[in-house]
Amino acid sequence: MTSAYHLIFCQETYKDLGVDYFDKQQPESVNKELIKRLDNFGYQVSFEPITVVI
């Protein structure tokens, strides 16, 4: 209802934030949750950042 109110009464256009919007807001939290889930399946996981060369 809140989003419909803003779209109609404030004459704002709808902007889809994307399926990974909240994942991008807190990437460390997402990483910890994924590690915990894999650990529950019996996997040992470690992460290293990828260096991108353009």
Side-chain angles (χ1 to χ4, degrees):
M1 295 300 287
T2 302
S3 60
Y5 171 82
H6 284 286
L7 291 174
I8 295 170
F9 293 105
C10 298
Q11 297 180 350
E12 294 182 15
T13 57
Y14 174 75
K15 180 182 176 190
D16 187 4
L17 299 176
V19 296
D20 60 348
Y21 174 76
F22 292 107
D23 292 345
K24 289 180 180 178
Q25 298 300 311
Q26 298 179 354
E28 288 298 320
S29 176
V30 173
N31 288 346
K32 288 179 184 178
E33 179 63 30
L34 292 174
I35 290 171
K36 188 188 311 181
R37 289 182 68 188
L38 288 169
D39 186 46
N40 289 338
F41 283 112
Y43 292 94
Q44 183 177 5
V45 181
S46 63
F47 287 103
E48 294 179 23
I50 298 174
T51 306
V52 179
V53 178
I54 299 175

